[in-house]
Amino acid sequence: MNNRQITLKSRPVGIPQPEHFELKTVAVPELKDGEFLVENHYLSVDPAQRGYVNDENNYAPPVPIGAVMRAMAVGKVIASKHADFAEGQFLYGWFGWQDYSVATPASVLRKVDPHQAPLSTGAGLLGINGLTAYLALHDIGAPKPGETVLVTAAAGAVGSIVGQLARQAGARGVAVVGSDEKGRQAIADYGYEAFINYKRPLEPQLKETCPNGVNVFFDNTAGEIADSVIRHMAWFGRVIQCGTMSIASWAPNPTGPRIEREILTRRLRLEGFVIFDHIKRYDDVAAKLAAMLNGGSLRYAEDISSDIAEAPQALVDVYSGRNTGKKLIKLR
């Protein structure tokens, strides 16, 4: 059986481009005891993948040159030599940009129930995107009724969910987006009450949309936007550092305005969030999000391609904001 794979051809600095990857076809190896074969159905495309290939400070070692691109996917077990993973089970885990993955239990993030929600949501809403939105917002942000929650990349796979969860908590969401069209979508579909277009001057927009300051800053981008927002935080505000999409490269480390005085005088709490620290809570939170989706209290958009060769360009599109929902590659 042949297996198409997207492998890392050369190491990029900053955002990887299609030329940094290569499409190969190899034979699927025989399973060893303790392994199982996953037939991938949906491949995930995530901003975090830039960190997986760059040789810079990150929470995981970089993908080796020539290796399959590290990625999460939802797939089906089609052969198994492990007692805990039976043929026919659906799984979400580190299965890579490829048709088939020879996996072990260490590769699995959670088992997926295809009756709980559409299978594709296992790689998005019920995967790291939805789980990140829920846990980071509630654990660190803890929004209270009437507070202002400002979210960068607000129309993205995480931000679109954060806005709705903030509204359910009684908070007022302000979306930071790259176009008026996405801003209107954030208000119409994702629970936000106002938006800021970061391609226009930020200061007047921050004053207008957040007249009493920002209580919770859910930051997916960092950079110049964050530099401005920090200076508009309300006293005892909470900053969730979930991503750094706007920083092209961390080698060498970029410099910017100092925020220590803002943290001190405004009594801010600033905390980084990495979803992989919370694996034991995945199933419980996924069940809550599925119930919201099925009950009609949560909207979720997907942007699905059907060609594995499109995966590298899809990552570029995510960073440029050209996707219109959670980006997935559907293989079957």
Side-chain angles (χ1 to χ4, degrees), residues 6 35 93 107 119 148 180 183 195 224 239 254 264-265 286 288 305 310 322:
I6 300 292
E35 295 178 337
S107 309
L119 187 62
T148 294
D180 289 352
F195 74 87
E224 294 180 1
V239 179
L264 172 62
T265 58
K288 292 178 181 178
S305 301
E310 296 177 11
R322 287 195 288 267

Side-chain angles (χ1 to χ4, degrees), residues 56-224:
E56 59 188 32
N57 182 24
N58 200 36
Y59 51 81
V63 175
I65 300 298
V68 176
M69 179 59 188
R70 183 183 300 148
M72 284 157 286
V74 168
K76 181 180 181 181
V77 178
I78 60 171
S80 179
K81 289 190 176 182
H82 194 291
D84 295 335
F85 296 90
E87 292 182 25
Q89 282 185 326
F90 286 93
L91 307 173
Y92 173 59
W94 296 104
F95 304 139
W97 277 353
Q98 54 185 339
D99 283 314
Y100 302 96
S101 174
V102 175
T104 66
S107 309
V108 179
L109 292 172
R110 61 181 297 264
K111 294 180 179 180
V112 175
D113 180 358
H115 303 294
Q116 187 179 50
L119 187 62
S120 61
T121 64
L125 176 63
L126 308 188
I128 65 166
N129 305 114
L131 300 173
T132 292
Y134 188 98
L135 289 169
L137 179 65
H138 290 301
D139 285 7
I140 302 174
K144 302 177 182 64
E147 289 191 326
T148 294
V149 178
L150 185 143
V151 185
T152 54
V158 173
S160 61
I161 300 168
V162 173
Q164 297 175 78
L165 296 177
R167 188 182 187 92
Q168 290 178 20
R172 174 178 173 273
V174 176
V176 180
V177 292
S179 70
D180 289 352
E181 180 182 4
K182 284 196 171 183
R184 288 188 289 268
Q185 181 187 28
I187 293 173
D189 296 336
Y190 302 143
Y192 290 96
E193 294 189 17
F195 74 87
I196 290 172
N197 185 335
Y198 67 77
K199 293 181 181 177
R200 294 198 290 266
L202 291 173
E203 291 298 321
Q205 294 183 87
L206 283 166
K207 290 178 181 178
E208 180 182 354
T209 59
C210 308
N212 299 316
V214 176
N215 302 102
V216 179
F217 178 26
F218 197 114
D219 188 19
N220 294 298
T221 62
E224 294 180 1

Side-chain angles (χ1 to χ4, degrees), residues 230-231 256-268 270:
I230 287 291
R231 286 162 173 74
R258 300 295 182 188
I259 65 171
E260 295 88 344
R261 195 69 184 168
E262 304 294 338
I263 293 173
L264 172 62
T265 58
R266 298 173 190 271
R267 291 79 151 175
L268 303 180
L270 193 157

